[in-house]
Amino acid sequence: MFSKETYVARRESLKKKMGSGLLIFPGNKETGMNYKDNWYPFRQDSTFLYYFGINLPDLYVLIDLDSNKEILFGDDLTPEDFVWVGAVEPLSTYAEKCGVAEVQPMAKLEAYIKNAQQKGQNLHYLPPYRNKVTIEISNLTGIPVNEVDANKSEDFTKAVIAQRSIKSAEEIAEIHKAVNITAAMHRHAIKWTKHGVTEKQIAGELQAIAVAGGGNISFPIILTKNGQYLHNHATQAVVENGDIVLCDCGAETAMNYAGDMTRTFPVAERFTDIQRQIYSIVLDAHESSSAALKPGYRFKDAHLLACSRIVEGLKGLGLMKGDTQDAVNAGAHTLFFQCGLGHFMGMDVHDMENFGEQLVGYNDDLKKSTEFGLKSLRLGKELEEGNVLTVEPGIYFNPFLIDSWKAQGKYTDFVNYDEVEKFKTFGGMRVEEDFLITANGKELLGDPLAKTIKEIEELKNS
């Protein structure tokens, strides 16, 4: 946990923005994998952690803005419970650590909320992303289950987004840790992915590095020789010399802050000539778009800049043709770059996206696109000092998309399909780094990791 003063200050700032009503903070519960008592690793709700820091299941907190009360609801474990889990400090100790003055048993939660409703207080809760929480809120408030989402508090959601979007110095220090553990995972992958190993073997070794770092992975590891599929998780496929491997992974610290990086590298000791050419285009798109980052700069423009650089590079290889800007405006580049350039990152690897991408990554002046490619851009609005985000352009030769669009005659003014045919077995490449937006520009988070062709090959052979 951070200091008590940190959590108190965060809540005071929130209370000033909200003014009145009852703020409801559900904590997460243990969840069974294949039967009730065989649990998934517990992960506390990130907003609950942000305001209270208590990483335990089966808790709620209410902030009564009208009576200026903060109450932690939960039940202390019994000596019989200790038989299974060992000694655990009482909830009063955790409440003291985050500056919450009052602790009540969970049995009193519903009565407090019903009383608030009878007094005419507005109930504020964030959009739930777990079905169990949706059902609990329905039971506690009397709102029908299918109406819980519609009755979420947009004012509460926007206030939390505004706070969590700007990272403090202590949060940035935690993210640096997460990114450095993530970099260690990538160094291992580059060095030890060799002819004859399976994707899952390397992915398992990477998860061990994340766990040894004090936390766990921040999302399921993407490690594949089929990088043309954007979220292709590790399989039992054997990698061989000549394959190119895309590794997208991240570590989460013990305090639940995330890293998220991608590197693409050969299984053999060296990139082939064509792998070098495609990788150079991806790296140029990454360097060009990340160099433009600064406060007030619209991230959508960084995305479009990366798209332009990809088109220019592919024109040089004869895969695309025509005017670059016209190609991007038409969306022809999405045959090769189908996703967005990046996203916010913090305690959620895609930070706060459970609140809705329009609210988190866009604003009233910029609406999220519904077009293929752009609709996958999770962040588009102007950047602010204190934002933490990823930059991750890529080139992906998806044979199914190539065949479909060729048959439809799509973008024939910009795509040389006869040349693209030669790349249908190539795979995909991506380069991803994490950045902090500073007063005058951006700062790379974590220690530098091999990124150029020369650096990757040297690491591969070290």
Side-chain angles (χ1 to χ4, degrees), residues 303-323:
H303 170 83
L304 295 174
L305 174 59
C307 297
S308 297
R309 298 308 303 162
I310 287 170
V311 171
E312 280 291 304
L314 293 176
K315 283 167 62 177
L317 290 181
L319 302 182
M320 295 193 73
K321 59 187 177 181
D323 182 79

Side-chain angles (χ1 to χ4, degrees), residues 404-458:
S404 174
W405 286 12
K406 182 180 180 180
Q408 295 175 54
K410 290 187 71 169
Y411 304 125
T412 52
D413 289 343
F414 304 108
V415 178
N416 290 319
Y417 281 102
D418 288 344
E419 291 300 312
V420 174
E421 280 286 325
K422 302 172 185 177
F423 286 80
K424 284 169 63 175
T425 60
F426 181 90
M429 289 182 163
R430 177 163 68 248
V431 177
E432 179 182 19
E433 293 181 303
D434 306 321
F435 294 97
L436 166 70
I437 302 302
T438 61
N440 300 311
K442 54 92 174 56
E443 172 190 325
L444 179 69
L445 288 161
D447 299 327
L449 171 67
K451 178 173 57 174
T452 67
I453 290 172
K454 179 182 177 183
E455 289 169 345
I456 288 173
E457 290 181 343
E458 287 177 349

